[in-house]
Amino acid sequence: MANRITLTQFIIEQQRELPGVSGTFTLLLNDIVTACKKISHLVNQGDLIGVLGSAESENVQGEVQKKMDIITNDIMINALNWTGHLAGMASEEVDDIIKIPDQYPKGKYLALFDPLDGSSNIDINLTVGTIFSILRCREGIDPTLEDFLQKGCDQVCAGFVLYGPSTMMILTTGHGVNGFTLDQDIGEFILTHPNMTIPDETSEFAINISNQRFWEAPVQQYIDECLQGKEGPRGKNFNMRWVASLVAEVYRILTRGGVFLYPLDMRDPSKPGKLRLMYEANPVGFIIEQAGGVCSTGRERILDIKPTDLHQRVPVILGSKSEVDRIVKYHRQG
Ligand code: AHG
Ligand code: MN
Ligand code: MN
């Protein structure tokens, strides 16, 4: 018991090693932790408190919102907008950037988040999560959209919280990836998974195969070769998973390796893929790279993309290095 390291202790100790990082960052992270603990509690209570089901409204991306999409978005905003640690926010569920109300001081960071990832799973009691990305912002300014449109490689910190059988936070500040499990009895995240690294040897892929007819040739080739198993060019059998929660897929890959694809999709030319760059692909990409994996569109490194829009979508291929490298090679050849 004595040597259990809490998330706060871990961050303060890590912060001491980082030049130019102040105590504000620890406080900001604590704000996010508080919000995620509230969300964890609500997710756990579920229909006991009537929070499941559809809200019968649409977000900016035309997706039908669940009640919990709206509730979790409000929790994040209300936990972060008054503390003085942020200059602004952005959320999957909000069209424009979210300003800090005039009466509150402004800090030097920007927070972007997907308050409830995998929300189609909420009504069937499967794992959902919260994803966040922290960017720096010039101090003392009222940020505009342009201030948010930073490349993923400039993130200060990225993380996600998984509301599964355990509630876990996975975090990187650019010095590896660490996993913390929420001890519900004392209300603290405890370091349980230090220095997470993605195993490179893998035979597991995750893709929504119902979209197969819309994929490009390189992805068709990769999946086809996996499906041929021992008798095919890969000479081994593959397993498949699809949880429909990015957070759950990424956690699985961090734990036992594998590859996840939400590739370019010919369904709708205005949507190159499904996942959103700024609050899904970038934070997850930062974590995957810090754990030794690769995160690509198939044609370029996700973290190198210069964003043009807060809610822009990108193809995402991530996971064990050798598998993603192979898929990128197929794109180059195609
Ligand atoms: P969100 O619930 O935040 O809109 O994200 C859902 C995403 C992602 O978590 C998951 O990988 C993917 O959508 C699932 O897509 P399908 O509906 O095609 O399975
Ligand atoms: Mn999401
Ligand atoms: Mn969401």
Side-chain angles (χ1 to χ4, degrees), residues 130-134 152-153 155-162 168-180 193 195-198 246-247 249-255 279-295 301-303 318-320:
T130 299
I131 311 175
F132 59 91
S133 164
I134 307 293
C153 55
Q155 291 171 101
V156 178
C157 165
F160 63 85
V161 176
L162 205 61
M168 290 193 71
M169 177 175 280
I170 311 300
L171 193 72
T172 187
T173 55
H175 299 267
V177 177
N178 291 281
F180 303 81
H193 294 63
N195 297 318
M196 299 183 85
T197 50
I198 300 176
L246 177 65
V247 283
E249 319 271 11
V250 168
Y251 186 72
R252 184 186 62 250
I253 289 171
L254 286 168
T255 318
Y279 42 80
E280 289 180 320
N282 271 343
V284 153
F286 192 16
I287 290 167
I288 290 286
E289 283 197 5
Q290 283 294 315
V294 178
C295 184
R301 180 185 177 219
I302 292 279
L303 299 189
L318 62 80
S320 297

Side-chain angles (χ1 to χ4, degrees), residues 69 92-93 114 116-117:
D69 284 320
E92 177 189 343
E93 304 303 335
D114 174 353
L116 194 65
D117 177 60

Side-chain angles (χ1 to χ4, degrees), residues 59 63 69 92-93 114 116-120 131 208 210-211 242-247 249 260 262 267 274-276 280:
N59 67 10
E63 295 164 340
D69 284 320
E92 177 189 343
E93 304 303 335
D114 174 353
L116 194 65
D117 177 60
S119 58
S120 73
I131 311 175
N208 185 343
S210 71
N211 298 323
W242 188 251
V243 190
S245 276
L246 177 65
V247 283
E249 319 271 11
F260 166 95
Y262 216 119
R267 262 178 296 185
K274 177 172 186 190
L275 299 176
R276 280 59 55 109
E280 289 180 320

Side-chain angles (χ1 to χ4, degrees), residues 94-302:
V94 181
D95 199 343
D96 296 317
I97 59 172
I98 305 163
K99 303 251 180 209
I100 300 298
D102 286 341
Q103 69 264 39
Y104 300 127
K106 287 181 192 58
K108 58 181 178 185
Y109 295 105
L110 303 172
L112 298 87
F113 44 84
D114 174 353
L116 194 65
D117 177 60
S119 58
S120 73
N121 281 333
I122 190 82
D123 295 340
I124 54 169
N125 203 15
L126 287 188
T127 297
V128 289
T130 299
I131 311 175
F132 59 91
S133 164
I134 307 293
L135 300 169
R136 261 183 241 283
C137 180
R138 285 173 292 137
E139 241 173 301
I141 64 154
D142 202 5
T144 63
L145 173 61
E146 196 51 43
D147 295 298
F148 282 78
L149 299 180
Q150 301 179 34
K151 290 182 182 177
C153 55
D154 292 329
Q155 291 171 101
V156 178
C157 165
F160 63 85
V161 176
L162 205 61
Y163 312 110
S166 307
T167 293
M168 290 193 71
M169 177 175 280
I170 311 300
L171 193 72
T172 187
T173 55
H175 299 267
V177 177
N178 291 281
F180 303 81
T181 305
L182 180 61
D183 182 333
Q184 310 271 2
D185 291 338
I186 59 167
E188 290 266 23
F189 280 98
I190 307 292
L191 179 63
T192 47
H193 294 63
N195 297 318
M196 299 183 85
T197 50
I198 300 176
D200 202 43
E201 191 51 45
T202 172
S203 47
E204 195 163 64
F205 66 89
I207 193 164
N208 185 343
I209 215 152
S210 71
N211 298 323
Q212 182 169 19
R213 65 195 184 283
F214 304 113
W215 302 337
E216 293 185 300
V219 173
Q220 299 278 7
Q221 181 189 345
Y222 177 77
I223 298 298
D224 180 54
E225 289 176 1
C226 293
L227 294 175
Q228 287 181 53
K230 223 171 167 20
E231 291 73 37
R234 300 299 304 271
K236 60 177 181 177
N237 292 328
F238 279 75
N239 196 4
M240 195 194 86
R241 287 287 182 273
W242 188 251
V243 190
S245 276
L246 177 65
V247 283
E249 319 271 11
V250 168
Y251 186 72
R252 184 186 62 250
I253 289 171
L254 286 168
T255 318
R256 66 178 190 211
V259 61
F260 166 95
L261 304 92
Y262 216 119
L264 186 75
D265 202 311
M266 305 301 187
R267 262 178 296 185
D268 176 352
S270 72
K271 290 181 186 164
K274 177 172 186 190
L275 299 176
R276 280 59 55 109
L277 174 63
M278 300 221 59
Y279 42 80
E280 289 180 320
N282 271 343
V284 153
F286 192 16
I287 290 167
I288 290 286
E289 283 197 5
Q290 283 294 315
V294 178
C295 184
S296 168
T297 64
R299 294 185 168 80
E300 68 180 313
R301 180 185 177 219
I302 292 279

